[in-house]
């Protein structure tokens, strides 16, 4: 008898059939990967199991018994634990306090027995090889460590079934390897793990069984031994997918963007960019590669006018835009796909049509003399939805109701639809599935081939190597290495990205492009 | 788009109905619970509410009184709603209202001898500008240094009240024992509806009602069909994305709070020109604060502000007859208002509960 069984779960959101009679099982001691594109319904299904969503049909059984799960509390009592993409920890509290939160051991009736809690945490972390300092405050921990705390919390609450929602999205490659080691030891101890993901190589590396979802339905089941990346991608997307887009070398023309000795502070007013010079030519993709938090965001915000530079200059086609406002940079021909589509890219409470013209909303034909032409807005929105294959029943669906991939398509459609001279794409494929990644990459390269300048900011070496013509490695606010894409390797970039080149020695490099 | 399940573009009409009718449900619940309270005090709730309804809608005259009380609430309701739609909580509408009223009372005396067709529009516009100006300072403080508008507009509310207090006891005091300004001139008096449309015998109700309804329609248009409204809503929902779209958060904030202040200023000037004829310390019975309740009940929809304000106007207009006939104290009306707000505020829980019940019923039916 399976530990967890899901029978014909159906879940309808307004206009979207998120789960269409999905059935699956999960046994003790196995890792099942739920693979699918963004919006395929993986997270919806697991949120139903965890009691965050109530299904419109079907049932969940634990050890063969129908389980009536209306909220996470009931799910936890039945031995189900879930680690979300966005952690739900109380940052100022310690690791131990977070883990026992909600189930604090007490002594003398009322007092929390923190010493006992601490021992319990140490015992758990020793048993499963989840090393963590029980006394550290969560806010001081790295993302990978915080994830461990989440897993320990689920274990402390007695989870026998552990659901991990896109656990690797926030991790570095080394952390991913450690996580997989932990997951393996968990199932060796008899737990069952459901892993939600859209990353093919992870599925092949860790899963015992793979369930593939598409458009709310379960479309296939396989084992890693019986398939490969291309096979999984085909099942997931429903057609053959090019995992690495075909690319012809770029033909760089005149300099479009030129940044000189740029210095920018971060939100805490500490220097984040310490004298960066770079340029991007028409018809080339320049990648700014680096580990997150090395000044990339500040550079992008300075160019787009969202942040005031402290020193240096930025020119676009010879025009000084160093202190331009966002409105002026848009008018000057800069488009920006922000790194976080929810934070900066979209107004989630606006519908698709309204989002499609954000930034162009004052201009004809969308507005005349301050009066909005809803017809022109709708016409453009319909055209862009079609051109960029945004999957939506209507242009009047709220952006917040779309899946991540479709939201990103809306942002990309808007920014490219403006026909810019310079496209700044910051982590344009973050959180997207292979099909959507392929699409975004194709669009970026098409833009390049139309003679546009593209500045790509990415944390993914794979992405950098597959679409950039020239790569700049940024480390601690300085460009520490510059290389042509065809001469670059994973190892070389990784070496410079993690400070291997030494930040002190790195005068801004100017070659290949200037 | 092969392989996609067929999704019919259908609207969740029941969900929309729940949303639209939840304020109505809130009002009904508030009435039921206040009935219990009235009953618990040994009075007859049926008699009380019957008197309340007759006292607010029972005759053309009573309806006129209801409109009279509703007009300032329409303006302040619109003022607060516009702020909310732009992500701002203008808690100081009361102060902007006082400034609008002050401008009306002062100019009503100064320009009162002129023709109605010149004096009236000029004074009304001046009242709106006074309200906008009073909101402008907190708006700039918010835009420049991030001072929270809840604190600053409220403090400016006190300042406005005490300025008026000082002026009516000192520099602008009319002769006589009462601290109030001189009566405005004939050219500044906002005519009653019955004077313009003799067929509508609406008692003291004045033309401010039409101005308020016109403002509601205008605000609806601004929010839906102008770039100003688009930018206000964008900043209200997600300022960072708006900024990325080239919208200046600072100037949008200033503009929005000034529009909000202008609407509150209209409440004050219209009340002076249409009802009181002068300004004095207590000329507003907290219209600016009740406006917050009106905006909440209307869910910040400008058109819905009209019925919401009429409801609150009816409560205050009908309360005297309720006291007279059913011997229920006027203060019960405050309890009803409080309960309405309580249920509107808890609406998300209520509609969730309704949705769950609905599902259980359909599940059982299958």
């Amino acid at each position: 008898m399976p530990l967890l069984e899901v029978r014909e779960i159906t879940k309808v959101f307004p206009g979207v059939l998120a789960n269409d009679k999905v059935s699956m099982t999960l046994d003790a001691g196995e890792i099942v990967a739920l693979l699918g594109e963004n919006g395929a319904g993986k997270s919806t299904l697991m949120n139903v199991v965890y009691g965050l969503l109530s299904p419109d049909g079907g049932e969940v059984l634990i050890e063969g018994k129908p389980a009536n799960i209306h909220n996470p509390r009931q799910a936890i009592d039945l031995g189900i634990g879930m680690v979300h993409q966005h952690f739900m920890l109380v940052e100022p509290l310690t690791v131990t306090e977070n883990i026992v939160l909600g189930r604090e051991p007490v002594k003398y009736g009322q007092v929390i027995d923190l010493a006992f809690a601490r021992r319990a945490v140490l015992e758990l972390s020793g048993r499963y090889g989840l090393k963590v300092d029980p006394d550290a405050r969560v806010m001081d921990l790295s993302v990978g460590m915080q994830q461990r705390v989440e897993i320990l919390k689920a274990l402390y609450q007695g989870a026998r079934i552990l659901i991990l929602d896109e656990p690797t999205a926030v991790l570095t490659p080394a952390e991913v390897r450690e996580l997989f080691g932990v997951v393996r030891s968990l199932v060796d101890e008899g737990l069952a793990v459901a892993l939600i993901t859209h990353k093919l190589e992870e599925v092949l590396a860790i899963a015992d069984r793979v369930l593939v979802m598409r458009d709310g339905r379960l479309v296939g089941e396989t084992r890693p031994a019986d398939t490969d990346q291309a096979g999984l991608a085909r099942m997931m997307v429903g057609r053959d997918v090019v995992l690495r887009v075909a690319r012809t070398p770029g033909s760089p023309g005149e300099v479009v963007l030129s940044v000189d000795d740029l210095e920018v502070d971060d939100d805490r007013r500490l220097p984040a960019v310490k004298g960066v010079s770079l340029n991007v030519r028409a018809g080339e993709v320049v990648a700014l590669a680096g580990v997150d938090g090395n000044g990339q965001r500040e550079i992008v915000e300075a160019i787009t006018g969202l942040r005031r530079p402290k020193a240096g200059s930025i020119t676009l086609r010879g025009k000084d835009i160093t202190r331009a406002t966002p409105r002026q940079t848009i008018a000057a021909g800069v488009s920006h796909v922000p790194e976080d589509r929810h934070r900066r890219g979209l107004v989630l409470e606006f519908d698709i049509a309204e989002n499609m013209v954000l930034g162009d909303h004052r201009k004809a034909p969308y507005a005349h003399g301050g009066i909005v032409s809803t017809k022109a807005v709708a016409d453009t929105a319909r055209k862009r939805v079609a051109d960029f294959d945004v999957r939506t029943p209507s242009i009047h669906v709220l952006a917040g109701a779309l899946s991540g991939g479709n939201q990103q398509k809306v942002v990309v459609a808007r920014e490219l639809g403006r026909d810019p001279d310079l496209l700044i794409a910051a982590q344009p494929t973050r959180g997207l599935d292979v099909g959507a990644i392929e699409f975004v990459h194709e669009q970026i390269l098409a833009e390049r081939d139309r003679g546009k300048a593209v500045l790509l900011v990415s944390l993914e070496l794979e992405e950098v190597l597959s679409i950039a013509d020239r790569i700049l490695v940024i480390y601690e606010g300085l460009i520490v290495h510059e290389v042509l894409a065809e001469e670059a390797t994973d190892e070389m970039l990784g070496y410079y990205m993690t400070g291997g080149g030494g930040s002190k020695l790195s005068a801004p490099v100017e070659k290949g492009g200037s | 788009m092969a392989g996609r399940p067929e999704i019919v573009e259908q609207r969740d009409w029941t969900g929309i109905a729940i949303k639209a009718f939840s304020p109505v449900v809130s009002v009904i619940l508030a009435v039921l619970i206040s009935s219990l309270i009235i009953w618990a005090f040994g009075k007859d709730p049926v008699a009380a509410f019957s008197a309340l309804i007759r006292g607010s809608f029972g005759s053309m005259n009573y309806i006129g009184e209801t409109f009279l009380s509703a007009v300032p609430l329409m303006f302040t309701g619109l003022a607060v709603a516009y702020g909310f739609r732009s992500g701002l909580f203008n808690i100081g509408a009361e102060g902007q209202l006082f400034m609008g009223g002050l401008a009306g009372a002062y100019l009503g005396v100064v320009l009162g001898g002129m023709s109605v067709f010149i004096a009236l529009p000029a004074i009304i516009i001046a009242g709106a500008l006074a309200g906008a100006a009073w909101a402008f300072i907190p708006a700039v403080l918010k835009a420049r240094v991030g001072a929270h508008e809840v604190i600053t507009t409220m403090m400016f509310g006190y300042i406005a009240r005490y300025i008026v207090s000082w002026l009516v006891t000192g520099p602008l005091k009319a002769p006589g024992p009462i601290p109030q300004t001189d009566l405005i001139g004939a050219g500044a008096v906002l005519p009653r509806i019955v004077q313009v449309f003799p067929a509508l015998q609406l008692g003291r109700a004045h033309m401010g009602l039409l101005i308020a309804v016109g403002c509601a329609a205008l605000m609806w248009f601004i929010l839906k069909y102008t770039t100003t409204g688009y930018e206000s809503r964008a900043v209200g929902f997600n300022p960072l994305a708006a900024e990325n779209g080239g919208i200046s958060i600072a100037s949008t904030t200033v503009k929005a709070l000034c529009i909000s202040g202008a609407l509150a200023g209209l409440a004050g000037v219209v009340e002076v020109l249409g009802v009181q004829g002068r300004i004095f310390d207590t000329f507003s019975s907290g219209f600016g604060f009740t406006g917050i309740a009106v905006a909440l009940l209307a869910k910040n929809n400008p058109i819905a502000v009209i019925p919401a304000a009429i409801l609150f106007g009816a409560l205050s207009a009908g309360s005297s007859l309720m006291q007279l006939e059913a011997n229920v104290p006027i203060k019960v009306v405050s309890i009803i208002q409080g309960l309405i707000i309580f249920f509107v505020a808890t609406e998300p829980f209520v509609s969730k509960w309704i949705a769950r019940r609905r599902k259980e019923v359909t599940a059982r039916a299958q």
Side-chain angles (χ1 to χ4, degrees):
Chain A
M1 185 185 305
L3 192 49
L4 169 73
E5 183 174 0
V6 170
R7 271 191 202 154
E8 306 218 317
I9 289 286
T10 297
K11 176 73 195 173
V12 187
F13 293 120
V16 183
L17 189 56
N19 278 170
D20 185 8
K21 293 190 176 166
V22 180
S23 302
M24 64 166 280
T25 60
L26 181 61
D27 287 314
E30 77 167 343
I31 302 170
V32 168
L34 269 172
L35 179 69
E37 293 186 275
N38 293 106
K42 307 162 296 205
S43 293
T44 302
L45 183 66
M46 286 300 118
N47 282 335
V48 166
V49 170
Y50 193 56
L52 285 168
L53 296 171
S54 51
D56 295 304
E59 57 179 347
V60 176
L61 293 88
I62 305 289
E63 290 181 319
K65 284 192 286 290
N68 222 344
I69 306 172
H70 291 297
N71 56 51
R73 173 58 45 196
Q74 291 168 337
I76 291 166
D77 289 341
L78 287 165
I80 303 169
M82 184 160 179
V83 177
H84 299 270
Q85 254 175 303
H86 302 283
F87 301 148
M88 302 183 177
L89 298 170
V90 187
E91 297 216 322
L93 296 187
T94 67
V95 168
T96 302
E97 286 165 340
N98 265 287
I99 289 173
V100 301
L101 192 65
R103 306 217 157 177
E104 303 88 351
V106 289
K107 57 184 177 185
Y108 316 126
Q110 286 297 317
V111 186
I112 299 177
D113 191 346
L114 272 180
F116 177 85
R118 195 172 174 281
R119 280 199 303 279
V121 168
L122 282 174
E123 193 270 327
L124 271 178
S125 91
R127 174 140 58 109
Y128 298 108
L130 281 153
K131 282 193 216 66
V132 62
D133 174 4
D135 305 315
R137 287 206 289 175
V138 165
M139 60 201 288
D140 299 329
L141 298 181
S142 69
V143 175
M145 277 295 174
Q146 293 191 8
Q147 190 177 55
R148 284 188 180 186
V149 177
E150 283 276 16
I151 294 174
L152 278 168
K153 184 175 170 90
L155 295 174
Y156 178 81
Q157 291 172 334
R160 293 172 298 156
I161 299 163
L162 189 63
I163 303 166
L164 303 174
D165 189 358
E166 307 265 1
T168 61
V170 292
L171 302 183
T172 63
E175 285 174 326
V176 170
R177 277 193 295 277
E178 283 180 56
L179 172 71
F180 283 177
V182 167
V183 169
R184 191 39 76 191
S185 71
L186 291 178
V187 292
D188 288 346
E189 292 274 334
L191 269 82
V193 175
L195 182 77
I196 301 175
T197 184
H198 56 246
K199 295 190 178 168
L200 307 173
E201 67 278 10
E202 287 176 3
V203 171
L204 295 174
I206 184 84
D208 297 314
R209 201 149 57 86
V210 190
L211 302 175
V212 183
M213 288 187 73
R214 189 168 74 229
D215 291 327
R217 295 181 202 166
L218 201 61
V219 293
E221 175 171 351
T222 182
R223 288 177 184 281
D226 304 334
T227 185
D228 58 9
Q229 287 206 16
L232 286 174
R234 199 179 310 115
M235 283 172 85
M236 189 168 138
V237 184
R239 60 178 167 85
D240 281 319
V241 178
V242 186
L243 293 172
R244 200 158 168 169
V245 288
R247 188 170 71 94
T248 52
S251 47
E254 61 188 301
V255 172
V256 173
L257 172 75
S258 166
V259 173
D260 290 297
D261 288 324
L262 188 70
E263 290 178 36
V264 194
D265 285 350
D266 64 12
D267 289 335
R268 295 165 299 165
R269 295 173 189 243
L270 300 172
V273 181
K274 305 165 182 167
V276 162
S277 297
L278 61 89
N279 55 50
V280 186
R281 291 165 175 273
E284 76 168 342
V285 177
V286 173
L288 202 54
V291 178
D292 201 9
N294 274 285
Q296 300 98 316
R297 176 192 290 176
E298 286 77 10
I299 290 181
V300 168
E301 291 188 346
I303 299 172
T304 49
L306 294 166
R307 189 183 288 268
R308 274 285 157 96
K310 201 166 56 174
S313 73
I314 304 164
T315 45
L316 189 80
R317 288 196 182 282
K319 188 174 172 242
D320 183 72
I321 56 162
T322 312
R323 302 201 180 279
T325 63
R327 202 167 140 197
Q328 289 164 332
T329 59
I330 291 171
V334 179
S335 270
H336 175 209
V337 176
E339 61 175 347
D340 187 335
R341 52 185 165 266
H342 288 177
R343 192 165 163 272
R344 280 238 188 243
L346 293 167
V347 178
L348 296 176
E349 298 86 348
F350 271 8
D351 65 16
I352 295 173
E354 286 177 305
N355 269 297
M356 275 292 183
V357 297
L358 184 63
D360 300 320
H361 58 276
R362 284 167 180 264
K363 287 192 309 200
Y366 310 122
H368 300 276
I371 307 295
V372 175
S373 163
T374 42
K375 185 175 178 304
V377 171
D379 287 346
T380 298
R382 259 184 227 108
K383 183 175 177 302
R384 290 181 183 172
V385 160
D387 288 352
F388 288 81
D389 189 28
V390 180
R391 308 273 176 96
T392 171
S394 146
I395 56 164
H396 296 300
V397 168
L398 296 187
L402 296 177
S403 68
N406 281 309
Q407 288 175 343
Q408 190 72 347
K409 282 181 182 174
V410 171
V411 177
V412 171
R414 176 183 75 213
E415 298 300 322
L416 297 186
R418 194 181 288 148
D419 192 26
D421 288 338
L422 170 69
L423 171 68
I424 300 178
Q427 301 189 46
T429 59
R430 183 160 81 169
L432 301 191
D433 54 73
V434 282
I437 290 174
E438 175 195 27
F439 180 82
V440 170
H441 284 174
E442 280 170 2
Q443 293 300 325
I444 289 175
L445 286 176
E447 211 52 17
R448 180 201 71 173
D449 293 339
R450 273 196 289 274
K452 314 290 184 184
V454 180
L455 180 63
L456 169 77
V457 176
S458 182
L459 314 177
E460 309 266 346
L461 291 182
E462 176 72 22
E463 174 164 82
V464 167
L465 289 167
S466 72
I467 63 168
D469 296 305
R470 194 151 56 88
I471 300 165
L472 307 176
V473 181
I474 187 165
Y475 177 71
E476 292 194 340
L478 287 169
I479 306 279
V480 293
H481 191 63
E482 170 165 355
V483 64
L484 294 175
E486 54 264 33
E487 293 161 11
T489 62
D490 272 14
E491 292 73 25
M492 174 213 278
L493 294 178
Y495 174 76
Y496 286 108
M497 275 167 66
T498 50
S503 59
K504 298 256 164 23
L505 302 169
S506 55
V509 192
E510 288 264 3
K511 72 167 185 192
S514 40
Chain B
M1 286 190 263
R4 268 197 95 208
E6 292 290 315
I7 296 168
V8 187
E9 189 171 333
Q10 55 169 307
R11 286 181 163 214
D12 180 11
W13 285 113
T14 330
I16 291 169
I18 289 173
K19 241 186 190 153
F21 283 103
S22 72
V24 178
V25 174
S26 303
V27 171
I28 293 171
L29 285 172
V31 167
L32 288 178
I33 292 185
S34 352
S35 298
L36 276 177
I37 294 171
I38 293 170
W39 175 76
F41 279 100
K43 314 279 194 220
D44 179 1
V46 178
F49 278 104
S50 131
L52 185 66
I53 291 167
R54 274 182 290 118
S56 48
F57 295 106
S59 72
M60 286 299 272
N61 216 28
Y62 283 137
I63 293 176
E65 288 298 304
T66 294
F67 285 160
L68 194 76
S69 316
V71 167
L73 298 178
M74 271 182 213
F75 283 116
T76 54
L78 291 173
V80 175
Y82 195 88
F84 275 133
R85 293 293 285 265
S86 317
L88 298 164
F89 187 3
N90 181 10
I91 204 171
E94 184 82 357
Q96 296 135 22
L97 173 145
F98 264 85
M99 283 315 196
L102 180 63
Y106 178 73
L107 294 174
V109 174
V110 175
L111 306 178
M114 295 169 75
S115 151
V116 175
F117 297 101
I118 299 168
L120 210 47
I123 298 171
I124 289 172
I125 290 169
L129 290 177
W134 205 244
F136 178 74
I137 306 167
V140 169
L141 288 173
K142 164 105 183 176
R144 288 275 155 208
V145 296
H148 204 288
E149 76 279 3
V150 165
I151 307 294
T152 52
T153 58
M154 187 193 258
M155 293 302 145
F156 266 69
Y158 286 116
I159 298 173
R161 285 205 61 158
Y162 291 121
I163 287 178
V164 167
S165 226
W166 165 64
L167 287 173
V168 299
T169 49
L172 292 182
K173 184 171 179 296
I178 307 165
Q180 59 186 15
T181 57
D182 284 319
L183 203 59
I184 56 174
V189 175
L190 199 54
R192 293 183 177 178
I193 292 176
V194 63
Q195 291 171 300
V196 183
F197 306 106
L200 297 171
Q201 293 289 332
L202 287 168
R204 293 199 295 154
H206 54 81
M207 293 302 287
L209 180 68
L210 259 70
I211 303 176
V213 170
C215 281
L218 184 67
M219 178 173 150
W220 172 81
F221 181 82
I222 289 176
L223 283 172
K224 201 167 160 76
Y225 290 108
T226 68
T227 49
T228 301
Y230 177 92
E231 297 193 346
S232 285
R233 288 184 296 123
V235 170
F237 285 133
N238 185 351
L240 291 176
E243 187 184 27
N244 197 51
I247 299 169
S248 160
I249 298 174
S251 68
T252 304
T253 299
V254 171
K255 214 195 265 182
L257 205 49
C258 285
I259 290 175
S260 175
L263 287 162
L266 282 174
V269 66
V270 164
E271 186 70 3
V272 166
L273 304 188
V275 187
Q276 312 289 0
R278 51 164 56 105
I279 197 165
F280 44 92
D281 238 356
T282 54
F283 99 109
S284 162
S285 57
F287 296 132
F289 298 107
T290 312
I292 299 170
V294 170
L296 275 175
L297 184 62
K299 300 193 165 181
N300 302 321
N301 178 319
I303 303 302
V305 162
I306 299 172
I310 288 175
L311 174 73
F312 277 74
L315 287 176
S316 79
S319 58
S320 357
L321 197 66
M322 182 179 73
Q323 183 165 30
L324 205 70
E325 285 196 357
N327 206 12
V328 172
I330 284 181
K331 282 291 166 199
V332 166
V333 162
S334 306
I335 296 179
I336 302 174
Q337 289 183 352
L339 287 167
I340 292 174
I341 300 311
F342 176 82
F343 286 117
V344 170
T346 52
E347 182 260 317
F349 302 100
V350 178
S351 55
K352 210 170 171 183
W353 178 77
I354 294 172
R356 190 181 299 166
R357 286 303 303 264
R358 193 156 55 109
K359 203 175 294 164
E360 278 170 18
V361 171
T362 44
R364 227 172 288 149
Q366 276 165 3

